[in-house]
Amino acid sequence: MKVKLASQLLSQSVADALKFCKYNLGLKDFENVDGTVKFIEMFNAGFDILNSRSIRCFENKKAICDDNIEQIIAFTDLMTNYIKGLKVKEKEMFVPILDSNRRTGFFGFIVCLNSALSLYESLIKPKKVDHIKMYRTSQDHLELFFGSVRALGGFNNNPTSRQFQSAYKKLVVHSTNIENFNTGNCIPLENIDILHYSSSDPIKTININTINHNIDSISREENVQEVDSYINDHDYIFTQNITSNFSKEVTIYIAGFVVHKLSSTINCETCLHSLCSNNKELLFNSLIHLKNSGGDKGGLIYPSDDVIIICLQTEKILKSYNFENQKINSLYLQSKVLYHFYNSNIFNSLKSHSSESNSPLSDHVTLLIKSISSTYIKLKVNYNLKSHNETTSLRMWYNKLTLFKGQ
């Protein structure tokens, strides 16, 4: 039912993970995964084109303009032929997907891509606009609006005309932006005003819009990823109580994100330098290298060996305390990690740097170990809580069955 879950499943991150399991880890369960990888990569590229939000992005995520129209035309032809070649099993027979009962979504992709080309012919080619951000033409905004209307109705998600009118007035009067609800079908990728109203103070409105525009232009046009969206798109935080190469590789991947978070808060240049790896060739076969070279994101951080060792030890201690099923004391686990590295050679390059501090409480090596372990623990615990909280209630389950019965 939720588009946000489908878009995460059909993403380059999942395709990279499948290829990593086959070619790097050599797992037998993933020997015949090439067809699935191609399917995911094709539809991920289609999602990127239809969700473009900036002219400064690269490849498929760039807004439609004169520079990339030829690539989009070629991809549209490739995608159309690929979909036409797909088959599905119905009544012990394999039939083309476009002739089956599951053809709606596949027709939709073809229609949307060709509609984007038609928008180029009618708007960009006559020089009416320079580019088109396709995300602004999607129906996500309607989904968010309807979600806000349903939220004002309490348990009643089928409002009458009068209830809809009342909810619409409340949204217009009390808010300028549609609020995001985690239970909805879509996640807002950009702050776009949906409802507008005339303010009693026009100067204040102009100033607010100017500030919002400047903030959005900095965060969106430079294609900076927020932490929440990064985690949602990289659901590699595993929960299995195993010790294998897969567990180690995922821990290394999370360690890179730990460094990414700490780099925005730590001001000491010497400490920041010790968090990143100077020899990236040692991580040549890692998941981080695969996503940097084959994925469409790039710019991922290679953690140093010391950071990886701390994250691996933190993961080991977390599993020993069964953090998934019971409440844990984060400070206690952090102290366990710190005790493990007491009098060790961890961050040996910072020994002289730490000796410059006037107080033992400001030892940079100790503070780095505490920061890395606490950040890792927060990531794992928050993801675990999020996974438990996203379970669908029985009320919502039977409600959907009632609404969509016979469809």
Side-chain angles (χ1 to χ4, degrees):
M1 291 297 298
K2 294 184 179 181
V3 179
K4 62 182 182 181
L5 300 181
S7 60
Q8 291 175 24
L9 179 64
L10 301 176
S11 64
Q12 188 64 43
S13 299
V14 177
D16 291 338
L18 294 176
K19 290 189 291 186
F20 184 78
C21 289
K22 177 181 179 179
Y23 295 107
N24 295 69
L25 299 181
L27 300 179
K28 293 183 179 180
D29 295 336
F30 296 86
E31 290 180 351
N32 301 319
V33 79
D34 293 330
T36 304
V37 169
K38 182 179 180 181
F39 181 88
I40 293 175
E41 289 180 338
M42 290 291 291
F43 282 91
N44 173 70
F47 271 120
D48 289 342
I49 292 174
L50 298 175
N51 278 329
S52 58
R53 307 192 305 277
S54 174
I55 190 62
R56 298 185 181 180
C57 291
F58 300 97
E59 297 182 357
N60 295 324
K61 293 186 176 182
K62 185 175 183 179
I64 297 179
C65 59
D66 291 327
D67 296 336
N68 63 352
I69 187 61
E70 296 297 331
Q71 299 176 2
I72 297 177
I73 293 175
F75 176 79
T76 301
D77 295 336
L78 179 65
M79 187 69 170
T80 302
N81 294 329
Y82 177 74
I83 292 178
K84 288 181 178 179
L86 292 177
K87 293 184 179 181
V88 64
K89 190 174 183 180
E90 286 188 355
K91 297 180 180 180
E92 305 300 327
M93 295 179 58
F94 286 96
V95 297
I97 192 69
L98 296 181
D99 296 332
S100 67
N101 294 328
R102 301 180 181 272
R103 60 182 177 272
T104 305
F106 298 92
F107 268 124
F109 255 96
I110 297 176
V111 171
C112 288
L113 288 172
N114 284 277
S115 298
L117 298 179
S118 299
L119 287 175
Y120 171 84
E121 294 292 334
S122 58
L123 296 177
I124 300 179
K125 197 171 183 179
K127 305 299 181 182
K128 294 181 181 179
V129 294
D130 295 332
H131 61 275
I132 301 176
K133 300 175 182 179
M134 290 303 299
Y135 175 68
R136 302 202 173 198
T137 65
S138 68
Q139 74 172 35
D140 285 10
H141 318 297
L142 281 177
E143 293 280 359
L144 295 172
F145 169 68
F146 291 145
S148 299
V149 172
R150 288 192 294 267
L152 292 175
F155 291 108
N156 177 25
N157 56 6
N158 288 299
T160 63
S161 299
R162 180 173 294 181
Q163 290 171 337
F164 177 84
Q165 185 180 19
S166 175
Y168 182 82
K169 289 180 179 179
K170 289 180 181 179
L171 291 173
V172 169
V173 173
H174 293 293
S175 66
T176 58
N177 291 322
I178 297 299
E179 186 177 356
N180 175 31
F181 295 94
N182 190 43
T183 57
N185 294 337
C186 303
I187 297 176
L189 304 177
E190 188 177 353
N191 293 325
I192 299 176
D193 291 337
I194 300 177
L195 299 180
H196 304 273
Y197 67 96
S198 59
S199 173
S200 58
D201 189 354
I203 297 178
K204 181 179 179 180
T205 304
I206 293 174
N207 292 336
I208 293 175
N209 291 337
T210 303
I211 294 175
N212 290 337
H213 175 73
N214 291 336
I215 294 176
D216 294 341
S217 62
I218 294 174
S219 60
R220 292 196 309 269
E221 298 296 332
E222 292 183 358
N223 199 24
V224 177
Q225 289 182 304
E226 294 295 335
V227 171
D228 291 339
S229 63
Y230 189 94
I231 294 177
N232 287 336
D233 190 48
H234 299 75
D235 283 345
Y236 292 136
I237 302 180
F238 52 91
T239 57
Q240 298 179 359
N241 190 15
I242 57 176
T243 55
S244 62
N245 289 334
F246 175 75
S247 302
K248 179 181 177 182
E249 292 295 339
V250 174
T251 303
I252 294 174
Y253 186 85
I254 301 174
F257 181 62
V258 170
V259 177
H260 169 75
K261 288 199 65 177
L262 294 178
S263 61
S264 61
T265 56
I266 297 177
N267 297 324
C268 179
E269 294 294 334
T270 305
C271 293
L272 285 177
H273 183 72
S274 66
L275 295 178
C276 300
S277 175
N278 296 324
N279 190 1
K280 298 181 180 180
E281 294 180 358
L282 295 177
L283 298 174
F284 180 76
N285 292 324
S286 66
L287 181 60
I288 298 177
H289 179 77
L290 175 64
K291 288 190 61 60
N292 262 343
S293 58
D296 57 353
K297 295 188 179 298
L300 298 181
I301 297 177
Y302 291 82
S304 64
D305 293 339
D306 296 320
V307 176
I308 294 174
I309 293 173
I310 295 173
C311 289
L312 287 172
Q313 180 61 27
T314 307
E315 175 66 23
K316 181 180 178 180
I317 294 176
L318 267 174
K319 288 181 178 180
S320 65
Y321 283 90
N322 193 18
F323 75 100
E324 301 170 5
N325 301 319
Q326 64 181 5
K327 185 178 180 180
I328 61 173
N329 189 335
S330 299
L331 292 177
Y332 176 72
L333 297 182
Q334 180 180 318
S335 64
K336 294 281 289 184
V337 176
L338 194 61
Y339 177 77
H340 176 81
F341 293 104
Y342 178 70
N343 283 337
S344 66
N345 292 325
I346 199 75
F347 288 118
N348 194 35
S349 60
L350 295 180
K351 294 297 182 182
S352 59
H353 175 66
S354 298
S355 62
E356 297 174 359
S357 59
N358 297 324
S359 171
L361 298 178
S362 60
D363 178 60
H364 284 204
V365 173
T366 303
L367 295 176
L368 277 179
I369 296 174
K370 293 171 64 176
S371 301
I372 294 170
S373 60
S374 62
T375 304
Y376 188 91
I377 292 172
K378 286 180 181 178
L379 284 172
K380 294 297 296 285
V381 172
N382 289 342
Y383 179 82
N384 182 59
L385 292 175
K386 178 183 175 183
S387 301
H388 284 293
N389 293 334
E390 283 190 346
T391 56
T392 306
S393 64
L394 289 177
R395 181 184 182 90
M396 182 179 295
W397 172 258
Y398 287 113
N399 182 39
K400 297 299 182 183
L401 289 179
T402 303
L403 292 177
F404 295 95
K405 183 178 180 180
Q407 296 188 13

